Amino acid sequence: MGNQMDKLSHLSYAEVPTVDPNGVDTEDGPRIGVSYIFSNDDDELEDGCAVDSTDRDPNQEEKQYDQHDEVECAVYNRDECIYEKSAKSANLEVYSPENLLNKCKAGDLVEFVATGQYPHWAVYVGDFQVVHLHRAEVKNSFLTDASQGRRCRIVNDFYKFKALGPDMVVQNAMEQVGLKDRELSWRNSECFAAWCMFGKREFKMGGEIRIGKQPYRLKIFMSDKHSHVLEFQSLEDMVMEKRRNDHLGRTAVLQELATHFSRVEEIKTHPDSRVSELLAEELSAFKGNSYANISEENVGELICVTLIKVCRNCTQR
């Protein structure tokens, strides 16, 4: 497997193989994986490519963007907030590429957004140019070309890590230009740009060992009073799921969650009273942990635990 990770589908809560943080797997068998499977690698979908993988015309008119459909969220590493995108914490206003050039300084992180597309991140390096990970290659492009008709904004404040100096951010970006395919250490443009600014290995593929508890929590703001939380064992996995939500948009994410909870209710009312009883016990125990405000996240995992218990009970009879 080396430093390349298999493409995975957003199927269920289950274990997936991971890679060694040094890029070398010493064992043939899979190691401990995340409990929430992330979506397909978005690199082939995020830039100049439609959902059906057909090419987009880079000269087409400005793409649609609905700020009201933006998914607002926060990310915590244990109890520390390390990322937040919400109208309360940051300026979410977007601009045309031409207008943004008047606001950019070398070392800034830029995000290009359009409805129904993965956001694309880049590092502004001065002289109207950005460095970005595009279609499995780190490229140096003019900001207006990299936008491909999308609106954009400066996102230096989304991640809460301490940033490197602007000169070092630019140097980090420029030194990677030309890397491609198996030479790459980042799964997507956001991880690449964030690594350039903060220098944290956690943004690289396999940068963390996925063992033990899941320290990262992605909190999706469903309304002013309600939220939904997902847990991850690595920052990389969390970024993948966050970007999947950005791609779907707020309306689709809320619909997905509604369907998700509806399925939970169906299982809770299963004719097999023992299944309902065990699931109720698991949910009660889960809500009683230290995160008392967490909704019924990871319910897929709970369902699996419940069904395993039922099977064990059957074999013991």
Side-chain angles (χ1 to χ4, degrees):
M1 185 181 297
N3 213 21
Q4 300 296 311
M5 297 184 67
D6 294 335
K7 294 182 179 180
L8 302 170
S9 298
H10 186 81
L11 299 174
S12 63
Y13 296 81
E15 289 188 348
V16 298
T18 59
V19 296
D20 184 271
N22 296 318
V24 178
D25 284 335
T26 57
E27 299 179 1
D28 294 332
R31 298 191 8 213
I32 295 177
V34 297
S35 62
Y36 191 84
I37 292 185
F38 42 77
S39 59
N40 286 341
D41 189 343
D42 57 306
D43 180 60
E44 64 184 40
L45 294 176
E46 66 176 12
D47 305 314
C49 194
V51 174
D52 60 3
S53 296
T54 58
D55 288 337
R56 288 195 178 97
D57 180 3
N59 298 317
Q60 70 181 7
E61 62 183 18
E62 182 176 300
K63 296 179 175 65
Q64 180 182 2
Y65 171 71
D66 182 3
Q67 188 168 340
H68 297 292
D69 200 40
E70 186 137 24
V71 179
E72 297 187 6
C73 63
V75 177
Y76 296 86
N77 182 8
R78 295 181 172 85
D79 294 327
E80 178 185 4
C81 181
I82 61 172
Y83 174 97
E84 185 169 0
K85 182 180 70 172
S86 68
K88 296 179 180 179
S89 66
N91 180 11
L92 300 183
E93 186 176 358
V94 296
Y95 305 89
S96 68
E98 294 76 15
N99 288 336
L100 191 73
L101 282 172
N102 298 323
K103 303 176 183 294
C104 281
K105 302 184 298 295
D108 283 345
L109 297 191
V110 176
E111 181 185 44
F112 301 100
V113 293
T115 299
Q117 291 187 32
Y118 285 94
H120 184 66
W121 286 47
V123 178
Y124 185 73
V125 295
D127 296 327
F128 314 111
Q129 298 176 55
V130 296
V131 172
H132 57 133
L133 177 56
H134 177 217
R135 290 193 175 183
E137 181 178 355
V138 178
K139 301 178 180 180
N140 187 2
S141 310
F142 284 106
L143 185 148
T144 49
D145 293 337
S147 72
Q148 296 191 334
R150 291 169 290 198
R151 307 282 285 178
C152 46
R153 59 190 170 201
I154 297 171
V155 291
N156 297 341
D157 297 329
F158 280 15
Y159 283 99
K160 309 303 179 183
F161 302 119
K162 182 178 180 180
L164 302 173
D167 291 343
M168 181 57 68
V169 176
V170 172
Q171 180 179 327
N172 282 345
M174 294 299 296
E175 287 180 348
Q176 317 310 317
V177 173
L179 293 183
K180 60 176 62 176
D181 300 324
R182 293 184 177 275
E183 300 171 325
L184 296 172
S185 298
W186 309 272
R187 292 247 343 160
N188 52 62
S189 60
E190 180 174 339
C191 285
F192 169 72
W195 174 83
C196 291
M197 171 164 275
F198 305 107
K200 297 183 72 65
R201 62 175 292 186
E202 288 86 349
F203 286 109
K204 290 188 173 184
M205 289 190 287
E208 295 175 275
I209 298 177
R210 298 170 173 86
I211 294 179
K213 294 183 179 180
Q214 299 168 312
Y216 294 97
R217 290 180 291 137
L218 172 60
K219 187 175 185 179
I220 303 170
F221 301 123
M222 302 171 65
S223 67
D224 291 338
K225 296 182 179 180
H226 298 89
S227 62
H228 179 72
V229 177
L230 300 172
E231 295 183 344
F232 301 85
Q233 287 183 316
S234 75
L235 183 62
E236 178 193 2
D237 295 340
M238 182 283 304
V239 171
M240 292 294 291
E241 177 60 18
K242 179 177 70 66
R243 291 172 63 75
R244 188 188 75 89
N245 290 336
D246 289 335
H247 171 234
L248 291 175
R250 176 181 172 80
T251 301
V253 168
L254 293 181
Q255 291 175 344
E256 184 181 80
L257 290 174
T259 302
H260 183 63
F261 290 126
S262 176
R263 289 173 179 171
V264 173
E265 291 302 319
E266 289 178 8
I267 292 182
K268 288 169 67 176
T269 58
H270 192 279
D272 187 332
S273 60
R274 188 52 182 158
V275 173
S276 301
E277 179 182 346
L278 286 172
L279 182 56
E281 291 175 1
E282 293 296 331
L283 289 174
S284 177
F286 193 81
K287 289 184 175 181
N289 64 17
S290 58
Y291 305 126
N293 62 331
I294 294 180
S295 305
E296 295 174 356
E297 70 278 15
N298 287 350
V299 289
E301 187 175 12
L302 293 178
I303 292 169
C304 290
V305 171
T306 299
L307 294 177
I308 289 172
K309 287 187 176 181
V310 171
C311 292
R312 285 176 179 172
N313 288 343
C314 290
T315 58
Q316 291 173 359
R317 289 174 183 172

